[in-house]
Amino acid sequence: MSKLGAILAQSAVHLSEHRQLLSQAFLSSITYQRSRVKVRGNHCCAMKVVPSRAEHVNALKAEEFDVLIIGGGAVGCGCAVDAACRGLKTALIEAEDFASGSSSRTSKLIDGSGSYLGTALREKDVEQLYIMLQMMSERVTMLKNAPHLNRIQPMIIPIYSFLQMPCTWLGLKVYDWISAASNIRGSHIISREATMYEFPLLKTDGLRGGVVYYDGQVDDARMCVALVMTAVALGANVGNHMEVVEIMPQEGCCRVVSVKDKISCEQFYIQSKAVINATGSSTDAIRQMDKEGTAPILLPTLETQVSLPRYFGSGHYGLLSPALKNDDLTVYMVPFENHMVLGSREVDLDEVSSRGSPTPDPDDVDCLLEAAKKRMDPCVELGRCHVLSAWTAIKASVSCPTDKENDDDKRGTPINSYMIEVSPDGLITLAGGRWSSYRVMAADAVDLAIKSCGLCDDHVTSSWTQDLKLDGAESWCCMLPLEFVQDYGVPMDVAHHISDSYGYNGHALFSQAPDLKKRLHPSFPYIEAEIQYAMRNEYACTLVDIIARRLRIAFVDAAATLHMLPRILKIMAAENGWDEEEQKEQMVAAQEFLVRQMGLGSIVQPRSTSKSKPKKKGSSEGCCCRAAVRRGARSYSMEISKKICVQPLVQHRSMSSTFLPLMTSLSYGLGR
């Protein structure tokens, strides 16, 4: 203890300071936009000021915390917000970047669909109904607390038989009735013509119409960043790119965690009374650090999704097509960032890699594309040449540890929702769940930490995050894009993008960088000011942090991201003072990310910026589907497809051979 006492900070936080922290946090969440303002014309725009990453690191070294959360995904960030809003001295660390795991690789749906209802009725499982009702309630909370990052998403289920229409409609009406006040809008039937209008490339043979139900869509990575910044505004200390090296228990629940800062390569200790393990796919690894020989609880599965051009779907509606056969896939298409997210192909995963998400398998992508092609007209050509980005997500389902005691090779029965476990040494593990349950999971975990570690002295002991507006949501309204256009002279598509991604913080973004309004790519609304804002106000440390989590461009178009890298790197280098060697390392790491995790080269072919010769128009003779209602859609699909399907620059075989040097010569500017 004396040795640890010499290493660790021993300064205690007084109860009066906790009261002051809580009151300041509450006032900050309400009046944040009224402070630190300057006048621009007739409009008051907030000048956002946040502690620097260095200040957070110094606090992590010097202070003793009530709660330390390991893991910067949806659940971990939710725990940080919940603990901080109760007045607990809170710290959050993440080995990579915030939302770098599966929290940024979701279907972009909040998951309030009627799938749980079908399971409950089929298996007579009341627990499924409870989970569904909880998800519906949380969906409303997410739409209320972060309206700029969550929006109502109508989904169409195409109907191809007379019997399927009343059955689907009746099931969704039961879903509407059970959800009651938590339901966003009532489901309804639309005609065949209306279904074709929204999805002109759908298979027409046998189409009877569609049933529309309403879900919610979330910008997952941006939502995670908003949670982090909300926790910071409430007084929490956070740190990304901080890897846990060792967990050392002390007497009672007080713990010491050894951490390595990947940015500075410095190793130090953090002392906390309670530690919450919310690391998703790394849950078992942290549990093994706490106690060797601990039985694993993860049942990982690998989900593959791809990004497609917008014309394959609808700009407003999503599509949910149930499996046609027992061995078929359930396919969904969701509009996101003016493109379509197609998913998902799910396979079991034997073990979790320690090097981020696995590389998307071309066979899984082909399987997913084939399943989607079956839902489309026979004349629609859908292949790898249309894929703009491909990625995988590790879905970390969990099972009870006792399920695997007798047979290590047997996969246990998954738990329907989530699980909280307290180890003999007091480590609290929070595993499972999804975006629609992150807030409830966080509240339960913090409640358990308060109870088991005695943290309730003069603190708020109940969660009030249900009514807590997240960062950027205060003063947000649907007219905000028009304010941006009028006050800063930006195009409307850029204004909409800034409003949807940053909310009211868009005023701070434009005000802090009035000369950085140029687009990073002519086909996308991302601008240079976002890079500077992400580094100063959102703790973006690397080039990958920018392209994957602050901007969503890597998940939208990997090839376009490749061409944007030099401009992004130039801004980051000027802001951070990177030398040429550091710039090269950042560029290589970003290229490796695009190759390994976004499918560039193996699935997505890099496109040349030079003009290519147009391909000869294929003949349509012999086509079996010549209905007039489809001619416009087919010609449009073929026209656009030929524009984006250019010849690959190189045949990709391995990242370590010739592809990275080619990418470096193609996109590595560095002022040349």
Side-chain angles (χ1 to χ4, degrees):
M1 290 297 295
S2 60
K3 181 178 179 180
L4 289 176
I7 299 176
L8 303 173
Q10 301 297 328
S11 58
V13 179
H14 298 290
L15 298 181
S16 59
E17 293 176 339
H18 283 298
R19 297 192 195 100
Q20 183 181 6
L21 173 65
L22 180 60
S23 61
Q24 289 177 351
F26 182 75
L27 292 174
S28 175
S29 65
I30 298 176
T31 63
Y32 179 72
Q33 300 296 344
R34 301 176 185 175
S35 62
R36 302 187 184 97
V37 298
K38 71 174 185 178
V39 177
R40 179 185 177 89
N42 296 325
H43 181 79
C44 291
C45 48
M47 295 300 295
K48 187 172 182 179
V49 179
V50 300
S52 66
R53 185 179 185 275
E55 292 174 322
H56 282 296
V57 172
N58 291 333
L60 292 173
K61 296 177 184 177
E63 299 182 19
E64 179 183 346
F65 295 91
D66 293 322
V67 179
L68 170 64
I69 299 106
I70 304 174
V75 177
C77 294
C79 288
V81 172
D82 192 281
C85 81
R86 304 188 196 207
L88 298 173
K89 189 65 177 176
T90 306
L92 168 70
I93 57 174
E94 161 61 38
E96 299 298 332
D97 185 30
F98 305 119
S100 58
S102 58
S103 294
S104 63
R105 300 162 184 264
T106 67
S107 65
K108 309 301 180 287
L109 294 175
I110 303 179
D111 285 333
S113 65
S115 59
Y116 284 94
L117 174 63
T119 304
L121 297 176
R122 183 172 58 255
E123 301 179 0
K124 299 180 177 60
D125 188 353
V126 179
E127 184 182 0
Q128 296 285 336
L129 286 178
Y130 173 77
I131 295 173
M132 187 197 77
L133 291 175
Q134 185 184 77
M135 290 169 55
M136 297 284 285
S137 177
E138 287 304 304
R139 183 178 64 184
V140 174
T141 301
M142 292 175 68
L143 290 168
K144 176 186 65 176
N145 291 347
H148 59 300
L149 298 172
N150 300 272
R151 55 196 62 89
I152 297 173
Q153 179 59 63
M155 301 289 292
I156 295 179
I157 303 177
I159 304 299
Y160 286 91
S161 69
F162 286 111
L163 183 61
Q164 184 186 7
M165 179 72 78
C167 292
T168 304
W169 177 83
L170 181 61
L172 289 175
K173 280 303 175 183
V174 174
Y175 169 80
D176 294 342
W177 178 74
I178 292 177
S179 58
S182 297
N183 192 27
I184 301 175
R185 296 175 185 171
S187 57
H188 59 274
I189 296 175
I190 60 174
S191 65
R192 179 179 184 272
E193 290 74 19
T195 304
M196 290 298 303
Y197 178 80
E198 293 297 337
F199 287 90
L201 303 185
L202 268 181
K203 182 175 66 175
T204 58
D205 187 19
L207 182 64
R208 307 298 179 184
V211 179
V212 177
Y213 74 94
Y214 292 88
D215 203 336
Q217 183 186 124
V218 57
D219 188 343
D220 43 19
R222 294 295 316 173
M223 181 74 174
C224 215
V225 172
L227 287 170
V228 171
M229 302 314 302
T230 303
V232 170
L234 292 168
N237 291 112
V238 301
N240 52 351
H241 301 283
M242 291 190 179
E243 182 180 8
V244 174
V245 178
E246 186 181 3
I247 299 177
M248 297 173 286
Q250 290 181 278
E251 295 179 1
C253 289
C254 192
R255 291 174 163 271
V256 176
V257 177
S258 177
V259 176
K260 179 181 179 181
D261 187 349
K262 293 183 177 180
I263 302 300
S264 64
C265 297
E266 180 184 8
Q267 187 168 331
F268 58 92
Y269 297 89
I270 303 175
Q271 183 168 300
S272 176
K273 297 177 182 177
V275 177
I276 298 177
N277 172 21
T279 52
S281 60
S282 300
T283 296
D284 283 336
I286 299 297
R287 293 170 72 244
Q288 290 287 340
M289 282 188 186
D290 178 60
K291 183 179 180 180
E292 293 185 4
T294 303
I297 61 174
L298 285 183
L299 299 175
T301 56
L302 200 63
E303 292 185 336
T304 301
Q305 302 170 72
V306 300
S307 172
L308 298 175
R310 177 177 176 175
Y311 58 79
F312 278 104
S314 167
H316 180 59
Y317 283 83
L319 180 75
L320 176 64
S321 180
L324 304 177
K325 299 178 182 178
N326 292 334
D327 58 346
D328 198 9
L329 300 179
T330 295
V331 173
Y332 64 82
M333 297 179 71
V334 181
F336 179 70
E337 296 286 317
N338 207 30
H339 289 69
M340 298 299 296
V341 173
L342 171 65
S344 67
R345 163 77 167 170
E346 185 173 332
V347 296
D348 292 337
L349 190 63
D350 294 332
E351 61 180 358
V352 178
S353 172
S354 60
R355 194 186 174 194
S357 297
T359 303
D361 190 338
D363 292 337
D364 290 337
V365 172
D366 291 340
C367 182
L368 180 59
L369 294 174
E370 186 63 28
K373 192 175 180 180
K374 292 178 181 177
R375 274 76 171 180
M376 297 182 181
D377 192 279
C379 295
V380 176
E381 294 294 332
L382 176 61
R384 286 195 202 176
C385 64
H386 300 98
V387 176
L388 303 178
S389 186
W391 65 90
T392 58
I394 299 177
K395 184 179 179 182
S397 300
V398 294
S399 65
C400 182
T402 57
D403 288 344
K404 295 187 178 182
E405 286 183 354
N406 297 327
D407 188 357
D408 293 337
D409 296 331
K410 182 179 179 181
R411 292 172 67 92
T413 303
I415 294 175
N416 290 329
S417 185
Y418 61 91
M419 183 190 74
I420 302 180
E421 174 194 62
V422 182
S423 73
D425 290 332
L427 176 67
I428 300 173
T429 295
L430 185 58
R434 56 188 72 197
W435 265 110
S436 56
S437 59
Y438 86 91
R439 196 192 64 82
V440 176
M441 295 172 64
D444 289 347
V446 176
D447 284 340
L448 184 59
I450 291 174
K451 181 179 179 180
S452 61
C453 298
L455 305 179
C456 59
D457 294 341
D458 203 31
H459 291 305
V460 177
T461 57
S462 60
S463 174
W464 49 275
T465 55
Q466 186 171 5
D467 299 315
L468 177 65
K469 294 286 187 181
L470 298 188
D471 184 61
E474 282 291 338
S475 303
W476 181 91
C477 69
C478 60
M479 298 300 291
L480 190 58
L482 184 59
E483 288 187 24
F484 293 157
V485 171
Q486 294 175 342
D487 291 348
Y488 307 105
V490 295
M492 183 56 77
D493 65 329
V494 173
H496 272 291
H497 160 66
I498 298 299
S499 174
D500 291 344
S501 299
Y502 303 89
Y504 200 78
N505 288 333
H507 283 299
L509 185 149
F510 285 120
S511 300
Q512 292 177 5
D515 299 327
L516 297 178
K517 298 178 184 177
K518 294 182 180 179
R519 295 177 187 262
L520 294 168
H521 192 284
S523 301
F524 296 93
Y526 309 115
I527 60 175
E528 295 175 340
E530 295 181 72
I531 312 303
Q532 186 184 90
Y533 182 85
M535 299 178 68
R536 293 182 178 180
N537 300 282
E538 294 179 344
Y539 306 115
C541 301
T542 68
L543 193 53
V544 176
D545 293 351
I546 295 290
I547 63 176
R549 268 83 61 178
R550 305 311 184 275
L551 309 181
R552 304 312 311 277
I553 181 63
F555 288 87
V556 174
D557 193 327
T561 307
L562 179 66
H563 294 293
M564 291 167 60
L565 290 181
R567 293 188 64 185
I568 298 175
L569 180 61
K570 183 178 180 181
I571 298 174
M572 295 189 72
E575 181 72 18
N576 284 341
W578 288 340
D579 57 20
E580 185 173 349
E581 186 65 26
E582 177 65 24
Q583 293 181 53
K584 289 181 180 179
E585 291 179 2
Q586 291 288 333
M587 179 63 74
V588 171
Q591 292 171 346
E592 181 181 352
F593 170 81
L594 293 175
V595 172
R596 274 199 72 250
Q597 300 192 35
M598 294 292 112
L600 187 61
S602 58
I603 299 169
V604 181
Q605 297 301 331
R607 301 189 294 272
S608 174
T609 55
S610 59
K611 295 183 179 180
S612 59
K613 295 181 179 180
K615 293 183 179 180
K616 293 182 179 180
K617 185 175 181 180
S619 174
S620 61
E621 294 182 3
C623 176
C624 59
C625 304
R626 300 293 296 170
V629 70
R630 302 310 304 266
R631 288 174 184 166
R634 289 188 203 124
S635 61
Y636 179 65
S637 174
M638 295 171 64
E639 186 82 18
I640 303 298
S641 298
K642 289 173 182 176
K643 289 182 180 180
I644 70 170
C645 295
V646 300
Q647 295 296 327
L649 297 179
V650 66
Q651 292 294 331
H652 170 65
R653 285 180 169 80
S654 67
M655 183 171 54
S656 61
S657 57
T658 59
F659 190 64
L660 276 179
L662 172 70
M663 294 171 64
T664 304
S665 63
L666 175 63
S667 64
Y668 179 36
L670 297 179
R672 295 179 184 178

